[in-house]
Amino acid sequence: MKLKVLNEDIAEVIITEEELQQRIRELGEQISQDYDEDTELILICILRGAVMFMADLARNINLPVTFDFMDVSSYGSGTESSGTVRIIKDLEDDIGGRHVLIVEDIIDTGLTLKHVIKLLETRDPASVRAVTLLDKPERREMKHVEVAYNGFEIPDKFVVGYGLDFAEKYRNLPYIGVLKEELYN
Ligand code: 5GP
């Protein structure tokens, strides 16, 4: 079995590698159909969790795409729903007049995505849409955050793997899983 050392820390696999790859193929097909075939799409990867997803998604989008990367950090606790988002690394490219697809790993409260969309809209792109691999609808505070494409809805559990970390580890698992509880403490 692959990655035996990491597997031992996982209590439950929520989404297998095959399920991920199948759904990402579907998302890629849907995205390819939704834009005109000559659209140049900028994929914006929200670091670091969306790296795996963007790499696989891009290979399933039948359009000319470019990559850019943004690193943000969410501020604000559960008690502060109007928390803000700090940009640690901004985009390299000018998105003015261009079609932008934000690629996120997971939407929890929706705060991060809401702020990123708001910021990018100030730069006058032709369009801004978002795709997320995972969504925790129970936790969503920002009800009005529009996500055009959603891979999987998952329960309110802390998940790792396929880009998602716990203390920077587990990103290289090829599936989405839940960590054993004793590892949190
Ligand atoms: P939001 O701003 O939507 O509350 O949070 C989004 C960010 O929180 C994600 O991009 C991700 O970095 C982190 N996050 C939320 N839920 C999880 C989870 O279950 N596992 C991991 N590893 N990160 C999560």
Side-chain angles (χ1 to χ4, degrees):
M1 200 180 193
K2 273 194 259 178
L3 309 179
K4 186 168 179 298
V5 175
L6 297 181
N7 285 331
E8 283 169 359
D9 293 349
I10 302 299
E12 181 195 353
V13 175
I14 293 196
I15 307 169
T16 66
E17 183 173 3
E18 292 71 28
E19 287 165 341
L20 283 172
Q21 295 304 326
Q22 170 62 31
R23 183 72 184 120
I24 291 168
R25 273 195 295 275
E26 291 169 8
L27 288 171
E29 279 169 24
Q30 198 185 337
I31 291 165
S32 309
Q33 285 168 12
D34 286 355
Y35 291 88
D36 290 338
E37 64 183 13
D38 56 352
T39 305
E40 280 188 23
L41 198 56
I42 310 186
L43 299 181
I44 296 184
C45 177
I46 307 300
L47 295 169
R48 301 171 192 168
V51 165
M52 301 286 191
F53 177 41
M54 181 151 120
D56 284 338
L57 181 67
R59 281 177 277 193
N60 285 283
I61 297 178
N62 186 25
L63 297 169
V65 303
T66 61
F67 288 1
D68 207 341
F69 299 85
M70 191 171 217
D71 195 359
V72 296
S73 121
S74 312
Y75 275 74
S77 60
T79 55
E80 192 192 351
S81 63
S82 65
T84 183
V85 165
R86 188 165 65 99
I87 297 182
I88 295 165
K89 185 213 167 293
D90 205 340
L91 300 177
E92 301 292 328
D93 297 341
D94 181 1
I95 60 167
R98 304 185 61 189
H99 294 278
V100 168
L101 182 62
I102 300 165
V103 183
E104 250 290 28
D105 52 358
I106 184 165
I107 299 180
D108 189 22
T109 62
L111 202 63
T112 307
L113 188 59
K114 182 190 148 203
H115 280 269
V116 170
I117 292 175
K118 223 163 87 179
L119 173 75
L120 297 187
E121 279 175 344
T122 65
R123 300 179 185 177
D124 297 322
S127 70
V128 179
R129 286 185 190 168
V131 53
T132 187
L133 179 65
L134 307 174
D135 186 11
K136 289 181 184 169
E138 288 167 47
R139 293 260 309 156
R140 191 77 74 84
E141 289 173 23
M142 304 293 153
K143 302 286 182 212
H144 54 282
V145 171
E146 293 254 339
V147 184
Y149 308 100
N150 188 347
F152 300 87
E153 289 194 350
I154 61 165
D156 181 17
K157 290 182 178 174
F158 188 82
V159 293
V160 296
Y162 197 69
L164 290 135
D165 74 311
F166 175 62
E168 292 305 321
K169 273 170 64 185
Y170 306 104
R171 294 191 195 275
N172 56 330
L173 286 174
Y175 54 80
I176 301 288
V178 179
L179 273 186
K180 289 183 177 161
E181 224 172 296
E182 62 260 33
L183 290 163
Y184 291 103
N185 306 314

